[in-house]
Amino acid sequence: MLRRGCQALRRFSTGRVYFKNKLKLALIGQSLFGQEVYSHLCKEGHRVVGVFTVPDKDGKADPLALAAEKDGTPVFKFPRWRVKGKTIKEVAEAYRSVGAELNVLPFCTQFIPMDIIDSPKHGSIIYHPSILPRHRGASAINWTLIMGDKKAGFSVFWADDGLDTGPILLQKSCDVEPNDTVDALYNRFLFPEGIKAMVEAVQLIADGKAPRIPQTEEGATYEGIQKKENAKISWDQSAEVLHNWVRGHDKVPGAWTEINGQMVTFYGSSLLNSSVPPGEPLEIKGAKKPGLVTKNGLVLFGNDGKALMVRNLQFEDGKMIPASQYFSAGETSVLELTAEEVKVAETIKVIWAGILSNVPVIEDSTDFFKSGASSMDVVRLVEEIRQKCGGLQLQNEDVYMATKFEDFIQKVVRKLRGEDQEVELVVDYVSKEVNEMTVKMPYQCFINGQFTDADDGKTYDTINPTDGSTICKVSYASLVDVDKAVAAAKDAFENGEWGRMNARERLADLLEKNQEELATIEALDSGAVYTLALKTHIGMSVQTFRYFAGWCDKIQGSTIPINQARPNRNLTFTKKEPLGVCAIIIPWNYPLMMLAWKSAACLAAGNTLVLKPAQVTPLTALKFAELSVEAGFPKGVINIIPGSGGVAGQRLSEHPDIRKLGFTGSTLIGKQIMKSCAVSNLKKVSLELGGKSPLIIFNDCELDKAVRMGMGAVFFNKGENCIAAGRLFVEESIHDEFVTRVVEEIKKMKIGDPLDRATDHGPQNHKAHLEKLLQYCEAGVKEGATLVYGGRQVQRPGFFMEPTVFTDVEDHMYLAKEESFGPIMVISKFQNGDIDGVLQRANNTEYGLASGVFTRDINKAMYVSEKLEAGTVFINTYNKTDVAAPFGGVKQSGFGKDLGEEALNEYLKTKTVTLEY
C-alpha cells in the first residue's frame, strides 16, 4: 500500500495526559508528521518498540529516525519490504523481533506487505488526509482543492488489502477557505489535528473502544499522483475552477500553460474579489482573454468574467520570478562583482556545498533544488548566510526566485548594493468626495513598507455607521500576513537603520497637516462627530507623537553605588533598552488616538511594531501607515494588519518573535490575550480593559458644573469612552434636581450626521453594538430601574441611539454592575452625609479604570480620591487626560500605563551592567 502526504512545515504539541491502558507500538513511516506522532505517543506513555523508516538520503536521516535514535528506540531503515511480491525474510524477522501489538502508519511511502500489516494483535492503523471514501490514493490534499471541495479533513482507518478501503476508526473535517493552499490546509488543520487524532486513535484501541465502520462505496473516488503533462490548464472554465486547478497543483507538479512558445507554471493563486487593477496585457495560448500583468501579479480571467491572480511564474529552465515582473524579467544586466562581493560569493559557495553535500562541485549552473535541496534547506541557507555574511538578511522567497547559483549570487549582490531596497510606495485608494474635500483612503494591509492585498485575497466590508452603507472593502489579514508583518518588524529591529533615526517629530507634523482628512475618515468609519474628531481623536494623536518624540534622546539608566569587593572597585549602572518587536491591538472607539497612545511610546523606545486596528474601524490606521512612509520611517518598522481578533489578534498574542503586546479592549478578551502571551513565550503585556467608573456628586458641589461635566462623563463620544462614568452616585438632597437638569440638557442635544458641525451626538460605532445597548436598556427596565429618558433607537438610517437616563438603580442590578459603553446614564442616590457608605458602593466592582468626585470641600475631595480604587480620579472635572499624565487601570481594568514617562517603561527593558576595575 502506497502512503503519501505533505511535508510538515511546523510542529504541534499537546498537553500530557496519562491513561491506564498502554500499547507496544511499531511506527512505520517517515517525515516530521511521523516524528510528531512518535513523540506524542511516547509522552502519553505508550511504548514504541521499533521505528521502521526509509534509509538516509544524501547522508541525512529522516526526522522520525533522528527522534527515535535520540531516545534509544530501535530504528530500522529498510529500502524495501518485499521483492517480486514476497516479503523479504530478514525484514520480516527484524520486524517481528520487536513484538509490537499495533502498527501505526502516520505517513508511509513504502509498500508494506499484508503479513506485516496483519501481524500485530491489533493490526494496523493508517492516517489518510481526506474524508474517505473520497480521494483515495495519493495526493489527496491536492485533489481536495482541485475538485473544489468545501470540506477537507482526514481519516484514521484500519488497514486492509485494498487501497485506502479499510474500516474507519475516526474522521475529522474542516472548512476549505476560498484561497486555502495545500500548505495552508495542512498547517492549519491536517497536521496539528492529525497528530492529536493519531494519539486518540491509539488510545481508543488500547481501551478497547475503537470502532470499525465499513467504508461505503457511495461517493468513493480514486485519484493518482498528478503528472506534469496532465497539469496543463484548460481555459474555458470559470475563474473559481481555474483557481482550484492552480492552487491544487501548487507546488507539485505545478499547473502550467503556454506563453510565447514556452511552458510557464503558475504558483500562488487567489480569487480576485476587488476590482481588476490596471496592467499590461499578456497573450496566453488557449485563453479567450489576455491576462494582465499588474503590480500585484498576473490577473487571469475565467469564462464567467470573474478573475483570479497568480503571484509567481516559473519558466522551463527552472527560473522563478514574481508575476508582476514578467515584462522586465529579462532586462536585468549581469553585475560585475567587487573584491568584497567576490568574498561574499565564495562564502556562499561554501554554504551551498555544505548543504548540497552530494554535489562534487558547485558551479554557476548548479540548481539548488534540482540538486536535492528541500524547503528545510532553504531555511538553513538563509540563516547561514545571515550568520556568515555580516547579517545579510535574505527571505526564503529569494531562494525560490533564483535557484541557480549564478542567479542567486546576482540577487545577493543586488541586495548588498541596496538596488532592491528603494521601492516606490504604491497606494490603491478608495476616494470619496465628502466634507468638501476628496478623501483618499488606503484599504490594504501595510507590511514591510508596502500596501498589499491579504495573502489569501480575502476582504471584508467596513461600514459607515451614519447610514449603514459600505465605505469600501478592506483586506482581511490572514495568519500568513501576520507572520510576514512580524518578520518584517523583526528584520527592521535587528538589521535596519531604525535605531539611528528619528522620524517621530516629522510624523506628528504630517498628522497635523492632514488632520482634516483624518478627522473626516474617523467620522466616516467610526461615527465620531467631526468637530470632536478634529480636536480629540486627531488633535491628541498629534500631541502624543510630539510629546514622545521629545523623549527619544532622554531615555537613560542610572549609576548605582554597590558594596565594593575589596581590594577591587566596582561600577554598576543600568541601561534602558528596547524590547524588540511589539504588537499593539487597539479598539474601535478612538481608532487613531488609541493607535497614537500606544505606538508613539513604543516607537520612541526604539521598538518596531505590528498593529491590528479594530476590525470595524481600520481606515485611519491605514492612512497613518501611508503618512509614516512620507515621514521617513524605514520599511518594516510600522506594519498594519486589518482583520479579525480571532485570527490576526490571536496569532499576535501567540507569536514567538513578539516581545510585548499592548491591548485595549474588553476584560474577557484581555484575559485570553494574557493567557496566550504567557503560554507562548511569556511576552510582556499591558492591558487597558473594561470599566465601570463611579462618579460621586455631593450636595455641596457647583451643580451647574456637575450637570455639565456629568453629562460629558457619560455622553462624550456617544458614550463609547473607556473612562465613561458607568454609574453616578448623586447625594439625595440634590438628586431630583440633578436628574431634571440632565434631561433638560439632553433635549437640547442635536442627534445627526457627524459631519454636520452642529451635531452633538453621532451614531453608535456599529450595528451589533447598538443592538447590545438596546438589550442593556431592556434589562434595566425588567429589573425595575426607572427609565427617565431615551432607551430607544432613533428612527432614521444608521445606528443612532437616544441619550438615555436611568434612575433608581440598585446595587444588585445588572445596570449597576456591567459596563454599557454607550450613551446611558445610570444614576443611584445615596443618603446625605454618607461618605464612607457611598465609597463602599463605588468600590464594589471588579473594575478600576477611572472615577470622579464633585464637591467644594477640598478635604472631602482628597479623602474620597484616596479611598477610590481606580487608576485615575477626577476632582471637579472629568475626561481630563493629558499626554504627560499616565493613564491605566487597576483590578480587572488591567495593568500598565499609556501616556507620560511611565508609558515608556512598558516598552523598555532594564539591563544591569557591573564591571570591576
Side-chain angles (χ1 to χ4, degrees), residues 75-88:
V75 177
F76 305 86
K77 301 177 182 180
F78 301 134
R80 65 187 62 84
W81 288 73
R82 63 183 186 175
V83 174
K84 296 182 179 179
K86 294 185 178 181
T87 306
I88 301 171

Side-chain angles (χ1 to χ4, degrees), residues 573-591:
F573 61 91
T574 60
K575 297 173 63 180
K576 296 287 188 178
E577 297 179 343
L579 297 170
V581 180
C582 297
I584 293 173
I585 302 175
I586 57 174
W588 42 259
N589 56 328
Y590 295 104

